[in-house]
Amino acid sequence: AVRSPPARYALTLIRRELRADLRRFGFFLACLVLGVGAIAGVGSLAAAIEAGVRADATTLLGGDVEVMLANRPLDRAEERFLRASGKISEILTLQAMARTAAREAPVALKAVDPRYPVYGRLVLDPQGSLAAALSRRRGHFGAVVDRGVLERLHLRLGEAIRIGKESLIARARIAHEPDL
């Protein structure tokens, strides 16, 4: 049988290793097995991660497409195009300083429209609708906050948060947000 040059080279290495020392050959073989196993393991992990992301991509992104604009709203033509292409939800984000009676910390604010989220489901703790949590009661609008903000500000649900001159009441914690 005719062997290819890489196979012939590998056999030559094996013969040399066997002649020199059987223990060194065992070490060589172990390294070879570990190397092949590591490459196969990394390939399998990468394939599993990619398959998971592909399966949940719309939920992870919160939609099929994300359009980000800085410092300007959609113009009429852009809005018509997007609305003709499917369901849309508008989200505004900005950085701000949040204050409680005892602490202050930078936070990311996110304002959403009633169609949010287009894909997936926002889960609040305690359970309830986003509209109810954000509604105006006793002169104050509500806010839903993530665990990190609660911890940084030492905030408990039902307490007030000040953003600029506005006072909001923390009514729920975000347990799961589809687009994060």
Side-chain angles (χ1 to χ4, degrees):
V2 178
R3 292 194 174 100
S4 65
R8 189 175 303 139
Y9 178 68
L11 288 174
T12 302
L13 283 177
I14 291 171
R15 258 195 321 272
R16 283 184 193 163
E17 289 297 323
L18 278 173
R19 270 187 269 149
D21 187 357
L22 200 53
R23 277 185 287 174
R24 280 183 30 200
F25 177 69
F27 180 72
F28 170 77
L29 201 56
C31 289
L32 190 64
V33 168
L34 282 172
V36 170
I39 290 170
V42 167
S44 294
L45 179 63
I49 290 171
E50 184 177 341
V53 168
R54 286 184 189 273
D56 294 331
T58 54
T59 301
L60 291 171
L61 185 59
D64 294 318
V65 175
E66 180 177 1
V67 176
M68 296 177 70
L69 300 173
N71 303 317
R72 75 172 183 88
L74 288 171
D75 65 34
R76 287 182 184 172
E78 292 167 334
E79 187 173 356
R80 272 195 309 273
F81 171 77
L82 290 173
R83 289 194 189 282
S85 300
K87 294 189 292 185
I88 68 168
S89 176
E90 294 183 58
I91 300 169
L92 300 173
T93 59
L94 66 116
Q95 302 298 314
M97 186 62 70
R99 292 177 179 82
T100 62
R103 297 190 180 265
E104 64 181 48
V107 295
L109 294 181
K110 183 176 186 176
V112 298
D113 67 11
R115 294 177 299 275
Y116 176 83
V118 175
Y119 289 102
R121 188 170 154 249
L122 178 70
V123 179
L124 302 178
D125 179 28
Q127 290 184 350
S129 75
L130 180 60
L134 300 178
S135 67
R136 187 177 189 107
R137 296 183 215 151
R138 297 185 198 108
H140 295 284
F141 284 102
V144 295
V145 293
D146 71 13
R147 185 184 56 191
V149 171
L150 291 171
E151 290 171 0
R152 278 196 317 264
L153 293 173
H154 294 265
L155 182 67
R156 284 180 271 148
L157 296 181
E159 293 180 337
I161 311 167
R162 291 196 62 78
I163 308 280
K165 294 180 181 178
E166 188 66 34
S167 181
L168 306 167
I169 304 300
R171 293 202 179 119
R173 181 183 66 84
I174 299 171
H176 174 73
E177 191 171 6
D179 56 350
L180 283 186

